[in-house]
């Protein structure tokens, strides 16, 4: 009988601890450039994701954190990963980088060569996986919103998006194909073939509507209904 009561006391002490462990929210870090840096602003995509989770009654199940810095390319992410991502002990990391690697070839005379882009990107994936973190990849969205394939850097952007699709397949990772999603949306919603003003303010950075569109894509890929 004493053994029974002893086991009962242990069970009563253990159950609250188990409940606390189960209640721990999934921590998701969004790792990227200025789009992600702005994502934590009042109308940013990360902020809007939090609002969507609250509307669904799921805000206690997920903890969303931004780790974006303007102007970053893939090698910048690799160099600051320990301090800005791993130190946060995330369960999931969403990697969203590539626009500057392409865009800056034209605007700054810099950028990232394809072989180096893939090398650094894969190094990020492997380091995150070595820390038992679920990795989610995003293709870069747009550098210009024209739908007739006349945006100056469409070809390069499509190529770099292809690299990310290949890496997602190679490493069996979740892919959020923003390049595809943005193109399909713009075909339907940019009949005037404008270069900006639909989802972006300047062909790259997002309007409030663009952030909302991105938040919805992220939620659909990351959050269980």
């Amino acid at each position: 009988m004493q053994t029974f009561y002893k086991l009962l006391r242990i069970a009563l002490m253990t159950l609250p601890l188990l409940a606390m462990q189960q209640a721990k929210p999934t921590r998701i870090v969004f790792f990227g450039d200025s789009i992600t840096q702005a994502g934590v602003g009042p109308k940013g995509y990360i902020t809007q994701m939090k609002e969507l989770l609250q509307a669904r009654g799921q805000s206690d199940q997920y903890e969303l954190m931004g780790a974006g810095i303007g102007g970053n390319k893939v090698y910048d992410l690799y160099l600051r990963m320990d301090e800005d991502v791993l130190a946060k002990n995330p369960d999931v990391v969403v990697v969203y980088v590539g626009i500057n690697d392409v865009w800056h070839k034209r605007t700054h005379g810099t950028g990232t060569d394809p072989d180096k882009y893939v090398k650094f990107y894969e190094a990020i994936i492997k380091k995150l996986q070595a820390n038992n973190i679920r990795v989610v990849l995003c293709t870069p969205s747009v550098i210009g919103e024209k739908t007739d394939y006349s945006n100056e850097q469409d070809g390069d952007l499509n190529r770099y998006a292809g690299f990310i699709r290949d890496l997602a397949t190679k490493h069996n990772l979740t892919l959020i194909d923003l390049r595809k999603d943005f193109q399909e949306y713009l075909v339907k919603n940019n009949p005037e073939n404008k270069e900006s003003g639909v989802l972006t303010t300047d062909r790259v950075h997002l309007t409030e509507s663009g952030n909302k569109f991105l938040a919805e894509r992220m939620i659909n890929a990351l959050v269980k209904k």
Side-chain angles (χ1 to χ4, degrees):
M1 197 68 173
Q2 287 181 337
T3 302
F4 170 78
Y5 283 116
K6 185 177 180 180
L7 291 171
L8 181 61
R9 283 198 300 272
I10 291 171
L12 291 173
M13 291 173 64
T14 303
L15 285 172
L17 292 173
L18 289 172
M20 288 176 64
Q21 291 175 351
Q22 291 171 353
K24 179 181 176 292
T26 299
R27 179 173 291 178
I28 305 176
V29 172
F30 296 87
F31 194 24
D33 52 31
S34 57
I35 293 173
T36 295
Q37 185 176 34
V40 298
K43 300 297 182 180
Y45 77 89
I46 298 170
T47 301
Q48 293 198 44
M49 286 180 70
K50 291 179 181 179
E51 293 169 355
L52 288 169
L53 287 172
Q54 189 170 11
R56 293 183 178 191
Q58 294 179 291
S59 56
D60 60 337
Q61 297 176 34
Y62 297 91
E63 182 181 9
L64 310 183
M65 306 176 75
I69 293 181
N72 268 198
K73 303 178 184 69
V74 68
Y75 54 82
D76 296 304
L77 267 60
Y78 179 78
L79 292 173
R80 66 183 179 88
M81 182 164 43
D82 285 357
E83 183 177 352
D84 290 356
V85 176
L86 297 181
K88 293 179 169 69
N89 298 312
D91 301 297
V92 182
V93 171
V94 179
V95 184
Y96 180 20
V97 68
I99 288 178
N100 292 327
D101 298 88
V102 174
W103 193 25
H104 286 185
K105 293 180 183 182
R106 176 68 179 83
T107 60
H108 296 72
T110 60
T112 309
D113 293 336
D115 58 335
K116 292 180 180 177
Y117 182 76
V118 173
K119 181 179 178 180
F120 275 105
Y121 209 120
E122 192 157 32
I124 291 171
I125 292 168
K126 289 179 177 179
K127 191 164 185 177
L128 292 171
Q129 288 183 323
N131 284 272
N132 299 312
I133 296 166
R134 179 190 168 201
V135 185
V136 177
L137 307 186
C138 299
T139 54
S141 53
V142 291
I143 305 174
E145 298 188 68
K146 292 182 179 180
T147 58
D148 61 353
Y149 304 101
S150 64
N151 301 301
E152 183 178 359
Q153 292 175 288
D154 273 349
D156 243 5
L157 201 60
N158 288 336
R159 188 181 181 195
Y160 281 58
F163 296 148
I164 296 172
R165 294 182 188 115
D166 291 343
L167 287 169
T169 299
K170 179 179 177 180
H171 295 279
N172 194 28
L173 302 175
T174 299
L175 175 71
I176 304 175
D177 199 341
L178 298 177
R179 180 68 181 147
K180 177 176 176 287
D181 292 340
F182 272 66
Q183 286 180 308
E184 289 178 352
Y185 181 90
L186 290 168
V187 166
K188 295 177 182 177
N189 296 278
N190 186 16
E192 298 174 14
N193 199 40
K194 296 188 294 184
E195 68 173 8
S196 64
V198 182
L199 294 175
T200 76
T201 60
D202 59 357
R203 302 185 303 123
V204 170
H205 298 96
L206 302 178
T207 61
E208 182 178 342
S209 295
N211 275 291
K212 181 174 185 286
F213 182 76
L214 181 52
E216 291 168 348
R217 304 283 83 68
M218 293 284 192
I219 282 281
N220 290 340
L222 296 169
V223 174
K224 297 177 181 178
K225 292 183 180 179

